[in-house]
Coordinates of all heavy atoms in Angstrom, one line a residue:
Chain A
H1277 N 50.1 -1.4 -12.7 CA 51.1 -2.4 -13.0 C 50.5 -3.2 -14.2 O 49.4 -3.4 -14.4 CB 51.4 -3.4 -12.0 CG 52.2 -2.6 -10.8 ND1 53.2 -1.6 -11.0 CD2 52.1 -2.8 -9.5 CE1 53.5 -1.2 -9.8 NE2 52.9 -2.0 -8.9
R1278 N 51.5 -3.8 -15.0 CA 51.0 -4.7 -16.1 C 51.3 -6.2 -15.6 O 52.3 -6.4 -14.9 CB 51.9 -4.5 -17.4 CG 52.0 -3.2 -17.8 CD 50.7 -2.7 -18.6 NE 50.2 -3.6 -19.6 CZ 50.3 -3.4 -20.8 NH1 51.0 -2.3 -21.2 NH2 49.7 -4.3 -21.7
P1279 N 50.4 -7.1 -15.9 CA 50.7 -8.5 -15.5 C 51.7 -9.1 -16.4 O 52.0 -8.6 -17.6 CB 49.3 -9.2 -15.8 CG 48.7 -8.3 -16.8 CD 49.1 -6.9 -16.6
D1280 N 52.5 -10.1 -15.9 CA 53.5 -10.8 -16.8 C 52.8 -11.9 -17.6 O 53.5 -12.3 -18.6 CB 54.6 -11.3 -15.9 CG 55.4 -10.1 -15.3 OD1 55.7 -9.2 -16.0 OD2 55.5 -10.1 -14.0
Q1281 N 51.7 -12.4 -17.2 CA 51.0 -13.4 -17.8 C 49.6 -13.4 -17.4 O 49.3 -13.1 -16.3 CB 51.7 -14.8 -17.4 CG 51.6 -15.8 -18.4 CD 52.2 -17.1 -17.8 OE1 53.3 -17.2 -17.2 NE2 51.4 -18.3 -17.8
G1282 N 48.8 -13.9 -18.3 CA 47.3 -14.1 -17.8 C 46.4 -13.1 -18.6 O 46.8 -12.3 -19.4
Q1283 N 44.9 -13.4 -18.4 CA 44.0 -12.7 -19.1 C 43.0 -11.9 -18.2 O 42.8 -12.5 -17.1 CB 43.1 -13.5 -20.1 CG 43.9 -14.2 -21.2 CD 44.3 -15.6 -20.8 OE1 43.6 -16.3 -20.2 NE2 45.5 -15.9 -21.3
I1284 N 42.5 -10.8 -18.6 CA 41.5 -10.1 -17.8 C 40.4 -9.9 -18.8 O 40.6 -9.4 -19.9 CB 42.0 -8.8 -17.4 CG1 43.2 -9.0 -16.4 CG2 41.0 -8.1 -16.6 CD1 44.0 -7.7 -16.0
R1285 N 39.1 -10.2 -18.4 CA 38.0 -10.0 -19.2 C 37.1 -9.1 -18.4 O 36.9 -9.2 -17.2 CB 37.3 -11.3 -19.5 CG 37.9 -12.1 -20.5 CD 37.0 -13.3 -21.1 NE 37.6 -13.9 -22.2 CZ 38.7 -14.6 -22.1 NH1 39.2 -14.9 -21.1 NH2 39.2 -15.2 -23.4
I1286 N 36.5 -8.1 -19.1 CA 35.4 -7.4 -18.6 C 34.1 -7.5 -19.3 O 34.2 -7.3 -20.6 CB 35.8 -5.7 -18.6 CG1 37.2 -5.5 -17.9 CG2 34.7 -4.9 -18.1 CD1 37.2 -5.5 -16.4
D1287 N 33.1 -7.9 -18.7 CA 31.9 -8.2 -19.4 C 32.1 -9.3 -20.4 O 31.6 -9.3 -21.6 CB 31.3 -7.0 -20.2 CG 30.7 -5.9 -19.2 OD1 30.4 -6.3 -18.1 OD2 30.9 -4.7 -19.5
G1288 N 33.1 -10.1 -20.1 CA 33.3 -11.2 -21.1 C 34.2 -10.9 -22.2 O 34.8 -11.8 -23.0
Q1289 N 34.6 -9.6 -22.3 CA 35.5 -9.2 -23.4 C 37.0 -9.1 -23.0 O 37.2 -8.5 -21.9 CB 35.2 -7.8 -23.8 CG 33.9 -7.5 -24.4 CD 33.7 -8.1 -25.8 OE1 34.6 -8.0 -26.6 NE2 32.5 -8.6 -26.2
L1290 N 37.8 -9.7 -23.7 CA 39.3 -9.7 -23.3 C 39.8 -8.2 -23.4 O 39.5 -7.5 -24.3 CB 40.1 -10.5 -24.3 CG 41.4 -11.1 -23.8 CD1 41.3 -11.8 -22.6 CD2 42.1 -11.8 -25.0
V1291 N 40.3 -7.7 -22.4 CA 40.8 -6.3 -22.3 C 42.3 -6.2 -22.0 O 42.8 -7.2 -21.4 CB 40.0 -5.4 -21.3 CG1 38.7 -5.3 -21.7 CG2 40.2 -6.0 -19.9
D1292 N 43.0 -5.2 -22.3 CA 44.3 -4.9 -22.1 C 44.3 -3.6 -21.3 O 44.1 -2.5 -21.8 CB 45.1 -4.7 -23.4 CG 46.5 -4.4 -23.1 OD1 47.1 -4.6 -22.0 OD2 47.2 -3.8 -23.9
I1293 N 44.5 -3.7 -20.0 CA 44.4 -2.5 -19.0 C 45.8 -2.0 -19.0 O 46.7 -2.3 -18.1 CB 43.9 -2.9 -17.7 CG1 42.6 -3.6 -17.8 CG2 43.8 -1.5 -16.9 CD1 42.0 -4.0 -16.5
S1294 N 46.2 -1.1 -20.0 CA 47.6 -0.7 -20.2 C 48.0 0.5 -19.3 O 49.2 0.9 -19.2 CB 47.9 -0.4 -21.6 OG 47.0 0.6 -22.1
S1295 N 47.0 1.2 -18.8 CA 47.3 2.5 -18.0 C 46.1 2.7 -17.1 O 45.1 2.2 -17.3 CB 47.6 3.6 -19.0 OG 46.3 3.9 -19.6
P1296 N 46.4 3.6 -16.1 CA 45.3 4.0 -15.2 C 44.1 4.6 -16.1 O 43.0 4.4 -15.8 CB 45.9 5.1 -14.4 CG 47.4 4.8 -14.3 CD 47.7 4.3 -15.6
K1297 N 44.5 5.3 -17.2 CA 43.5 5.9 -17.9 C 42.6 4.8 -18.6 O 41.4 5.0 -18.8 CB 44.2 6.7 -19.2 CG 44.3 8.1 -18.8 CD 43.2 9.0 -19.4 CE 42.9 10.1 -18.4 NZ 43.7 11.3 -18.3
S1298 N 43.2 3.7 -19.1 CA 42.4 2.7 -19.8 C 41.5 2.0 -18.7 O 40.4 1.6 -19.1 CB 43.2 1.8 -20.6 OG 44.2 1.1 -19.8
A1299 N 41.9 1.9 -17.4 CA 41.1 1.3 -16.5 C 39.9 2.2 -16.2 O 38.8 1.8 -16.1 CB 41.9 1.1 -15.2
M1300 N 40.2 3.5 -16.1 CA 39.1 4.4 -15.9 C 38.1 4.4 -17.1 O 36.9 4.5 -16.9 CB 39.6 5.9 -15.7 CG 40.4 6.1 -14.5 SD 41.2 7.8 -14.6 CE 42.3 7.6 -13.2
R1301 N 38.4 4.3 -18.3 CA 37.7 4.3 -19.4 C 36.8 3.0 -19.3 O 35.7 3.0 -19.8 CB 38.6 4.2 -20.7 CG 38.5 5.5 -21.4 CD 39.3 5.5 -22.8 NE 40.4 6.3 -22.6 CZ 41.7 5.8 -22.7 NH1 41.9 4.5 -23.1 NH2 42.8 6.6 -22.6
L1302 N 37.3 1.9 -18.7 CA 36.5 0.7 -18.6 C 35.6 0.8 -17.3 O 34.9 -0.1 -17.0 CB 37.4 -0.5 -18.4 CG 38.2 -1.0 -19.6 CD1 39.3 -1.9 -19.3 CD2 37.3 -1.6 -20.5
G1303 N 35.7 2.0 -16.6 CA 34.7 2.2 -15.5 C 35.3 1.7 -14.3 O 34.6 1.5 -13.2
I1304 N 36.7 1.5 -14.1 CA 37.3 0.9 -12.8 C 37.9 2.2 -12.2 O 38.9 2.7 -12.7 CB 38.4 -0.1 -13.2 CG1 37.7 -1.3 -14.0 CG2 38.9 -0.7 -11.9 CD1 38.7 -2.3 -14.4
E1305 N 37.4 2.4 -11.0 CA 38.0 3.5 -10.2 C 38.6 2.9 -8.9 O 38.1 1.9 -8.4 CB 36.9 4.5 -9.7 CG 36.2 5.3 -10.9 CD 37.1 6.4 -11.3 OE1 37.9 6.9 -10.5 OE2 37.0 6.8 -12.5
T1306 N 39.7 3.5 -8.5 CA 40.4 2.8 -7.3 C 40.7 3.9 -6.3 O 41.1 5.0 -6.6 CB 41.7 2.2 -7.9 OG1 41.5 1.5 -9.0 CG2 42.3 1.3 -6.8
I1307 N 40.5 3.5 -5.1 CA 40.9 4.2 -4.0 C 42.0 3.4 -3.2 O 41.8 2.4 -2.7 CB 39.7 4.5 -2.9 CG1 38.6 5.2 -3.7 CG2 40.1 5.2 -1.7 CD1 37.4 5.5 -3.0
Y1308 N 43.2 4.1 -3.2 CA 44.3 3.3 -2.7 C 44.5 3.6 -1.3 O 44.0 4.5 -0.7 CB 45.7 3.9 -3.5 CG 45.6 3.5 -4.9 CD1 45.1 4.4 -5.8 CD2 46.0 2.3 -5.4 CE1 45.1 4.1 -7.2 CE2 45.9 2.0 -6.7 CZ 45.5 2.9 -7.5 OH 45.4 2.6 -8.9
Q1309 N 45.3 2.6 -0.7 CA 45.7 2.8 0.8 C 45.9 4.2 1.1 O 45.2 4.8 2.1 CB 46.9 1.9 1.1 CG 46.5 0.5 1.6 CD 47.7 -0.4 1.6 OE1 48.3 -0.6 0.5 NE2 48.0 -1.0 2.6
D1310 N 46.9 4.8 0.6 CA 47.2 6.2 1.1 C 47.6 7.1 0.0 O 48.1 8.1 0.2 CB 48.2 6.2 2.3 CG 49.1 5.0 2.3 OD1 49.6 4.6 1.2 OD2 49.3 4.5 3.3
N1311 N 47.5 6.7 -1.3 CA 47.9 7.5 -2.2 C 46.8 7.9 -3.4 O 47.2 7.9 -4.6 CB 49.3 7.1 -3.0 CG 49.0 5.7 -3.7 OD1 48.0 5.2 -3.5 ND2 50.0 5.2 -4.4
S1312 N 45.8 8.2 -2.9 CA 44.7 8.5 -3.8 C 44.7 10.1 -4.2 O 44.1 10.5 -5.2 CB 43.3 8.2 -3.4 OG 43.1 6.8 -3.4
M1313 N 45.2 10.8 -3.2 CA 45.0 12.2 -3.2 C 46.3 13.1 -3.2 O 47.2 12.6 -2.7 CB 44.1 12.6 -2.1 CG 42.7 12.1 -2.0 SD 41.7 13.1 -3.1 CE 40.6 12.0 -3.6
V1314 N 46.3 14.2 -3.8 CA 47.5 15.1 -3.7 C 47.2 16.1 -2.5 O 46.4 16.9 -2.7 CB 47.7 15.8 -5.1 CG1 48.9 16.7 -5.0 CG2 47.7 14.9 -6.2
P1315 N 48.1 15.9 -1.5 CA 47.7 16.7 -0.3 C 48.0 18.2 -0.5 O 47.3 19.1 0.2 CB 48.7 16.2 0.8 CG 49.8 15.6 -0.1 CD 49.1 15.0 -1.2
T1316 N 48.8 18.6 -1.5 CA 49.0 20.1 -1.6 C 48.1 20.8 -2.6 O 48.2 22.0 -2.8 CB 50.5 20.3 -2.3 OG1 50.5 19.4 -3.4 CG2 51.6 19.9 -1.3
M1317 N 47.0 20.0 -3.1 CA 46.1 20.7 -3.9 C 44.7 20.8 -3.3 O 44.4 20.1 -2.3 CB 46.0 19.8 -5.2 CG 47.2 19.9 -6.1 SD 47.1 18.7 -7.4 CE 46.4 19.7 -8.6
S1318 N 43.9 21.6 -3.9 CA 42.5 21.9 -3.2 C 41.7 20.6 -3.5 O 42.0 19.8 -4.5 CB 41.9 23.1 -3.9 OG 41.7 22.8 -5.3

Side-chain angles (χ1 to χ4, degrees):
Chain A
H1277 291 323
R1278 305 290 304 262
D1280 294 309
Q1281 203 184 314
Q1283 294 95 41
I1284 301 169
R1285 285 189 169 75
I1286 305 284
D1287 296 327
Q1289 299 283 328
L1290 202 59
V1291 291
D1292 176 25
I1293 310 178
S1294 58
S1295 68
K1297 270 261 145 73
S1298 58
M1300 290 172 191
R1301 253 179 255 122
L1302 292 165
I1304 302 173
E1305 293 282 332
T1306 312
I1307 297 175
Y1308 297 93
Q1309 261 165 306
D1310 25 43
N1311 62 355
S1312 290
M1313 293 278 150
V1314 182
T1316 51
M1317 291 171 91
S1318 68

